[in-house]
Amino acid sequence: MPIAEPQQLDRTFHALADGNRRAIVGRLTRGPASVSELAAPLNVSLPTVLQHLEVLERSGLMHSEKVGRVRTCRLDPGPVRERSEEHTSELQSHHD
C-alpha cells in the first residue's frame, strides 16, 4: 500500500488539530448538516466557521454542496481511513 504524501498528511493533521474542526467532524459523523447546523453549537462567528469548513474541505475530510441557499456538508471517511491505515502500516514497518 503506498504511503500518503507528507503534504496530505500535514493537511489532515492540521485540520484535526483545532477543537472546533474536530467538533464539526464529530457532528458530521452523525450525517450531513447545513453550515447553520454546524455553526450553532460553536462559539465563533459564521465567517470563522466557513474558514474551518474550508480547511476541512482542503484536507479531504469533508465536502459540501450548495443547493439554493443552503450549503450541506458531508464527511468523507475514505481519506481518513486510508491515511490511518497508511500511517499504521508505516509505523509498523519502523518497528519490525
Side-chain angles (χ1 to χ4, degrees):
M1 176 181 299
I3 302 301
E5 293 185 29
Q7 297 87 358
Q8 185 59 47
L9 283 173
D10 288 347
R11 283 191 294 270
T12 300
F13 286 121
H14 170 74
L16 294 174
D18 181 85
N20 286 321
R21 290 192 290 268
R22 286 192 306 273
I24 291 168
V25 170
R27 166 54 189 88
L28 291 175
T29 62
R30 298 192 317 258
S34 70
V35 171
S36 298
E37 291 171 322
L38 295 171
L42 302 178
N43 222 7
V44 295
S45 67
L46 188 57
T48 299
V49 171
L50 292 172
Q51 288 176 341
H52 285 311
L53 294 175
E54 183 179 328
V55 170
L56 289 168
E57 282 197 89
R58 278 197 319 259
S59 74
L61 295 171
M62 59 147 278
H63 63 276
S64 68
E65 64 181 340
K66 188 170 185 177
V67 177
R69 295 175 51 142
V70 177
R71 178 166 298 281
T72 302
C73 301
R74 288 176 173 73
L75 193 61
D76 187 357
V80 174
R81 188 177 305 117
E82 291 167 11
R83 288 181 204 122
S84 175
E85 290 171 358
E86 291 167 353
H87 187 65
T88 301
S89 174
E90 183 179 354
L91 288 174
Q92 288 174 342
S93 70
H94 287 280
H95 290 293
D96 292 339

